[in-house]
Amino acid sequence: MANKVIPYGRQNITQEDIQTVIDTLQGDYLTQGPKIKEFEDKFAEYIGAKYAVAVANGTAALHLAALALEVKPGQKVITTPITFAASANCIQYCGGEVVFGDINPDTYLLEIDSVRHLLESSPKGTYAGIVPVDFAGRAVDLEEFRKLANEYGLWIIEDACHAPGGYFVDSNGNEQWCGNGKFADLAVFSFHPVKHIASGEGGMITTNDDKLYDALLRLRTHGIVKSDALYTNSVEFAGGENGQYPGWYMEMQTLGYNYRLTDFQAALGITQLGRAPQGMVRRREIAANYTNAFEGMSFIKGMSGNVGGHAYHLFVLEVEDRLGLYNYLRTQNIFAQIHYIPCHLMPYYREKGWKEGDNPASENYYKHCISLPMYPTLSEEEQQFVIQTIKRYYV
């Protein structure tokens, strides 16, 4: 077992996945074809949202979400430091200013009291929105964030890249799935190979808002529209006659981007989506095994644990001597990972004035966190090897 490489995450590509990609490659469309809409519709149904818009990757999804919400230069938006940099960078792309709230040390999620403090400490209108992150797959309680957002007139982008299939339980006892649009204006997902659904690269934006949906479709493809009802130039200018625009005509009405997904990536995403429920069952089994194995161990300072609705993209331990454990695991071909270096202490954000001590819970978490192997094809034997190797290091 020691000679077998065990990564922290891994895609699972089946013969069905391969065949559906081949079939699409042999079809009429490589991009802008029917597989895109099929993937969008099936994903929206899975999540429980009205609309889904497929895009090139999770970062593109975040950028388009910020654009659709019209983030303007100088506007402030709050997010968590414990996330991939794109959760913050999407605001910077639009000229906005990111402000980092701290995390709850028990959940590793953006702490609502930290957000409330930021809002109460500034004049109303200072902030435009919040980007809470379902970090590691644990669902943010968006019902509470929505109440706070409404109080201050803010929008919410839910970064659910770690959490398709995850949920929290609302005040009425109902499961609210990540990205279902009940509380967030927009939600974003990623289909990077280590995520629940892999399409090579890829992303999705979900919403229940008709206007935001229309804006996303335009922004995804260069700001171009192709509809007689939406054109602003005259029929005569377009080269048409008798009040009819010609079939070739289109208009770029706003500055957009080429953030499209291809049909063969969408085809892969469709078959991967079909296996997502069983993958979720396995992830939760793996999490339960880790929890049972490490509960009560003296070297454990915290961990993801057994949490209802957790999607378990990651299973995180907080340990003493994290560097020693990380290096030892690599000698055993166990490639654990660290998620994440706090965003506010990246050099780019340090140059904007952020410094150590600004978010103490996040900074303390970073000193101890390590993400263990977590993917549906991780075998029982492999997981036990990981568990015993960690215990052997400390005991």
Side-chain angles (χ1 to χ4, degrees):
M1 182 63 67
N3 293 322
K4 184 173 183 179
V5 172
I6 305 176
Y8 88 89
R10 170 181 281 158
Q11 72 272 20
N12 176 28
I13 303 299
T14 68
Q15 189 57 46
E16 180 190 17
D17 292 328
I18 294 168
Q19 189 59 52
T20 196
V21 171
I22 290 171
D23 291 344
T24 304
L25 289 171
Q26 293 174 334
D28 293 330
Y29 294 91
L30 294 186
T31 189
Q32 295 182 277
K35 285 295 179 184
I36 305 299
K37 189 64 165 62
E38 181 183 349
F39 187 26
E40 290 171 339
D41 289 346
K42 288 182 175 178
F43 190 84
E45 181 180 7
Y46 177 63
I47 295 300
K50 186 176 180 181
Y51 300 115
V53 177
V55 295
N57 50 61
T59 301
L62 283 159
H63 187 197
L64 288 180
L67 288 168
L69 290 165
E70 301 181 348
V71 173
K72 294 178 174 58
Q75 284 187 327
K76 292 185 176 182
V77 175
I78 301 168
T79 194
T80 170
I82 301 302
T83 186
F84 186 62
S87 307
N89 294 350
C90 65
I91 305 304
Q92 300 293 134
Y93 297 158
C94 299
E97 179 184 343
V98 174
V99 177
F100 295 97
D102 210 350
I103 64 167
N104 180 314
D106 297 322
T107 66
Y108 312 147
L109 302 178
L110 181 63
E111 173 55 66
I112 194 165
D113 288 340
S114 174
V115 176
R116 188 183 302 279
H117 174 73
L118 289 170
L119 296 172
E120 290 176 346
S121 301
S122 304
K124 273 201 172 184
T126 300
Y127 291 90
I130 312 170
V131 185
V133 178
D134 300 317
F135 171 68
R138 185 164 185 163
V140 173
D141 185 341
L142 286 178
E143 183 178 25
E144 290 302 308
F145 272 94
R146 183 74 268 169
K147 291 175 186 175
L148 183 61
N150 288 347
E151 184 180 345
Y152 284 87
L154 311 180
W155 48 253
I156 296 175
I157 298 173
E158 178 189 5
D159 184 337
C161 287
H162 290 184
Y167 64 85
F168 73 93
V169 178
D170 69 15
S171 58
N172 295 316
N174 298 314
E175 293 179 1
Q176 298 290 346
W177 277 45
C178 299
N180 70 5
K182 295 288 178 62
F183 302 104
D185 298 86
L186 295 162
V188 300
F189 296 87
S190 168
F191 305 131
H192 182 276
V194 297
K195 300 298 199 313
H196 296 65
I197 298 162
S199 63
E201 291 283 359
M204 195 75 79
I205 311 166
T206 58
T207 186
N208 293 340
D209 187 297
D210 295 358
K211 289 183 179 179
L212 289 175
Y213 175 64
D214 290 340
L216 291 167
L217 294 178
R218 287 195 302 274
L219 291 164
R220 175 177 67 177
T221 308
H222 302 285
I224 290 172
V225 300
K226 193 170 175 60
S227 169
D228 289 11
L230 299 175
Y231 295 147
T232 59
N233 284 332
S234 68
V235 170
E236 290 73 26
F237 168 80
E241 60 184 8
N242 300 323
Q244 297 293 314
Y245 288 88
W248 69 76
Y249 190 66
M250 63 179 185
E251 289 183 356
M252 191 195 96
Q253 296 184 340
T254 189
L255 183 63
Y257 298 80
N258 182 356
Y259 279 165
R260 298 187 299 259
L261 191 69
T262 66
D263 271 58
F264 53 89
Q265 288 173 300
L268 177 56
I270 290 166
T271 55
Q272 290 267 313
L273 178 60
R275 296 198 304 278
Q278 67 193 64
M280 184 63 65
V281 170
R282 178 61 186 142
R283 286 175 183 273
R284 288 171 176 156
E285 288 175 350
I286 293 168
N289 291 340
Y290 279 140
T291 302
N292 292 336
F294 294 121
E295 229 165 18
M297 296 285 106
S298 60
F299 57 87
I300 299 292
K301 297 177 66 63
M303 62 177 164
S304 294
N306 273 327
V307 178
H310 203 306
Y312 292 109
H313 166 57
L314 305 173
F315 191 95
V316 178
L317 292 185
E318 290 182 88
V319 296
E320 297 290 0
D321 189 20
R322 190 262 311 275
L323 176 61
L325 175 62
Y326 174 87
N327 288 334
Y328 178 67
L329 290 174
R330 292 176 78 86
T331 69
Q332 303 301 303
N333 279 335
I334 300 169
F335 288 80
Q337 188 54 278
I338 308 304
H339 297 93
Y340 289 101
I341 302 165
C343 273
H344 69 291
L345 297 180
M346 291 291 188
Y348 173 84
Y349 287 105
R350 282 183 186 261
E351 289 176 5
K352 295 182 177 298
W354 292 93
K355 62 187 183 303
E356 291 178 57
D358 284 340
N359 289 295
S362 299
E363 294 162 31
N364 183 65
Y365 163 84
Y366 170 61
K367 292 176 182 177
H368 302 285
C369 66
I370 186 166
S371 300
L372 305 187
M374 169 58 78
Y375 47 93
T377 56
L378 183 72
S379 70
E380 293 286 348
E381 182 183 13
E382 289 169 333
Q383 186 179 17
Q384 286 306 312
F385 178 67
V386 172
I387 290 168
Q388 294 309 316
T389 302
I390 294 170
K391 288 183 174 179
R392 186 164 59 249
Y393 177 75
Y394 285 105
V395 177

